[in-house]
Amino acid sequence: MTAIPRLAIPLSTGALAGMLARLAGGVGRADDVAAFEHAFAARYGRPDAVAFCRARMGLYHLLRNLGLSDGAEVLIGAIHVADFVNIIRLAGFTPVVVDLEPDGFRLDPGDVERKLTARSAVLIATHLSGYVHDLAALRRLCDARGMVLIEDCSQAFAVTFRDRPAGLWGHAAVFSLSLLKSVCALNGGMVIAEDAALVARLRRAAAEQGPARRGGLAAEAVRNLVIKATTQPTVFSLAVLPLLRLTAATGDGFSRYQKTNKTVALRRALPPAFCERFTGAQARLGLALLADLDSREARRKANGRLLRAWIHEDAAVRLPPHCDDGEPGYWLFPLVVAEPARLKAFLAARGIDSSPMLLAALSAEEAFRDLGFTAPNAERTRAHTLFVPMYPGLDEARVRRIADAIAAFQRSG
Ligand SMILES: *Cc1c(COP(=O)(O)O)cnc(C)c1O
């Protein structure tokens, strides 16, 4: 029986190899960027979208172009790519961390209320693992207070709330196009917004970015190829999972390789790599993945729905709460587990790989200690989260194997 790797790289080997070959000749053409932006915008019924070199830079330029006053506060959920805290500060504003609901991944409405002040200007709602927020409620709250709602849809590309896509409920939305994202362009961040004048300002900001270095893109293509090769089922079964099991005592080596930002620091300036243009070569990768995005995400959601139905919660294994009006997209499949290390080992012994949370609990990061963040629920949930495999290519038999193994773990008490 072959093992089930924790993840699947969405880009094909051919696309990645083609990218490396193309990079030898240059970074591609601006019209490919425009075509990708238009195709992306069209999915959301927007006239335009703007691509940046990273989602966090999309957020940076959004924040700088909203006309916020000095000292404005930007509320952000407590489990996030840690660098978003730096981005808010470097854009000139004050990050305020909001705790998440108990055992779950959406903002805790009670903590949102507690953290609001007269200076609150922006609320970022991040749909972690595709667990969509009650977007009607968040939009109402923001409109009532004159705040801007920004959705981070990096983990929610084909997710709806009340039949309307996540990404259209906020005044603006950012989508990361980085490693493993449903539309991956090696790196990148797409921004859509309601206000056409805001989009025009973002377009000017994007045009002011510097040229992209090919080295960085080539390195990212190689990283995708390495992860793709090591998660190929036979290689993974015979070599990678046995190695991970042998070295489990020293932590999860795969996560360490996968993780882009290995250390978190308080930045004083934007690194030069964040001030590069999104390239035509990347746009072609993105366009290829946009073409079958909906069918891939439909398969992922069908798998997620099955697994969710087959898991019976108990004190040892819980499922995160979700909205009645919005089905999760299951970009990842998180379990909240009393003893995650024990479940990880139990699954690995049955050929099922799993992963801890890679994102930071912002309130627990040493680098942010002086920023006064508090989020006890999120810290606890992060420590108890285990992601089991969930991607479009899983078949029903494998989903069943995962569910059966979790049930066996629960019986093992
Ligand atoms: C992957 C991811 C990002 C990455 O942002 P980049 O700036 O593009 O690296 C941001 N937010 C979330 C929720 C993500 O999952």
Side-chain angles (χ1 to χ4, degrees):
M1 201 158 47
T2 55
I4 307 176
R6 70 186 67 182
L7 55 80
I9 293 286
L11 288 166
S12 70
T13 303
L16 287 162
M19 175 76 180
L20 282 171
R22 266 202 305 283
L23 280 175
V27 294
R29 299 170 346 161
D31 9 337
D32 283 331
V33 177
F36 179 43
E37 289 170 331
H38 282 122
F40 199 99
R43 279 180 59 80
Y44 290 90
R46 296 269 195 240
D48 206 3
V50 184
F52 291 92
C53 65
R54 285 179 175 64
R56 70 195 74 178
M57 291 311 295
L59 176 70
Y60 176 85
H61 293 291
L62 262 175
L63 293 176
R64 302 258 299 177
N65 283 283
L66 287 171
L68 304 178
S69 36
D70 290 348
E73 293 175 352
V74 177
L75 280 69
I76 183 166
I79 292 182
H80 220 284
V81 173
D83 210 25
F84 273 52
V85 167
N86 286 316
I87 289 297
I88 294 167
R89 288 164 52 88
L90 292 171
F93 308 106
T94 303
V96 173
V97 163
V98 177
D99 204 358
L100 306 184
E101 62 191 339
D103 296 332
F105 295 96
R106 298 166 306 172
L107 298 169
D108 176 356
D111 205 50
V112 175
E113 288 294 337
R114 277 191 292 279
K115 303 262 165 90
L116 287 171
T117 73
R119 290 182 301 278
S120 305
V122 175
L123 176 64
I124 301 174
T126 303
H127 309 302
L128 290 173
S129 302
Y131 279 78
V132 65
H133 284 82
D134 181 338
L135 285 164
L138 291 184
R139 181 63 192 249
R140 224 170 19 245
L141 173 99
C142 287
D143 283 345
R145 300 183 59 103
M147 290 172 63
V148 176
L149 177 61
I150 298 178
E151 293 178 70
D152 181 341
C153 295
S154 302
Q155 303 189 3
F157 272 81
V159 173
T160 56
F161 179 77
R162 294 193 188 150
D163 297 328
R164 184 150 174 258
L168 285 179
W169 290 83
H171 298 86
V174 299
F175 301 76
S176 176
L177 313 172
S178 63
L179 184 72
L180 289 168
K181 298 298 150 63
S182 301
V183 178
C184 173
L186 301 182
N187 283 316
M190 195 65 88
V191 182
I192 57 174
E194 267 176 11
D195 176 12
L198 171 60
V199 176
R201 291 195 293 279
L202 292 173
R203 162 92 33 237
R204 282 196 290 279
E208 285 164 6
Q209 302 308 300
R213 291 156 316 130
R214 281 184 268 179
L217 294 174
E220 192 60 21
V222 169
R223 195 158 74 107
N224 271 265
L225 281 167
V226 168
I227 296 177
K228 195 157 183 101
T230 50
T231 51
Q232 190 277 331
T234 313
V235 175
F236 190 81
S237 302
L238 294 177
V240 181
L241 188 61
L243 197 63
L244 287 173
R245 290 184 63 194
L246 277 174
T247 57
T250 62
D252 189 81
F254 203 99
S255 298
R256 273 197 301 277
Y257 181 70
Q258 189 187 332
K259 207 166 169 189
T260 313
N261 312 286
K262 291 179 174 56
T263 56
V264 178
L266 206 56
R267 290 191 196 272
R268 298 181 171 280
L270 290 174
F274 288 8
C275 304
E276 297 180 356
R277 265 191 294 276
F278 185 78
T279 67
Q282 291 168 276
R284 288 177 60 166
L285 295 177
L287 271 169
L289 286 177
L290 267 188
D292 67 350
L293 173 63
D294 286 319
S295 66
R296 282 184 291 124
E297 294 308 302
R299 285 203 304 280
R300 189 199 299 275
K301 274 186 269 193
N303 284 336
R305 218 178 286 134
L306 272 183
L307 185 54
R308 195 168 173 111
W310 284 339
I311 290 173
H312 302 287
E313 293 184 76
D314 65 5
V317 176
R318 267 156 304 139
L319 292 164
H322 66 90
C323 291
D324 292 335
D325 288 346
E327 192 193 12
Y330 300 112
W331 181 68
L332 294 170
F333 198 101
L335 300 171
V336 184
V337 187
E339 297 177 86
R342 203 166 72 78
L343 176 56
K344 189 174 190 353
F346 189 94
L347 293 176
R350 283 152 190 80
I352 298 166
D353 189 25
S354 60
S355 161
M357 169 71 79
L358 300 190
L359 298 178
L362 301 179
S363 53
E365 283 294 339
E366 190 54 32
F368 303 150
R369 212 175 59 181
D370 297 336
L371 302 182
F373 299 155
T374 53
N377 291 344
E379 288 180 29
R380 189 189 170 283
T381 302
R382 180 182 186 276
H384 288 273
T385 296
L386 190 70
F387 295 107
V388 294
M390 182 48 58
Y391 31 86
L394 282 181
D395 57 17
E396 194 172 319
R398 286 191 180 80
V399 177
R400 185 83 241 179
R401 248 177 80 195
I402 297 167
D404 289 347
I406 293 167
F409 172 77
Q410 290 170 302
R411 284 195 303 276
S412 78

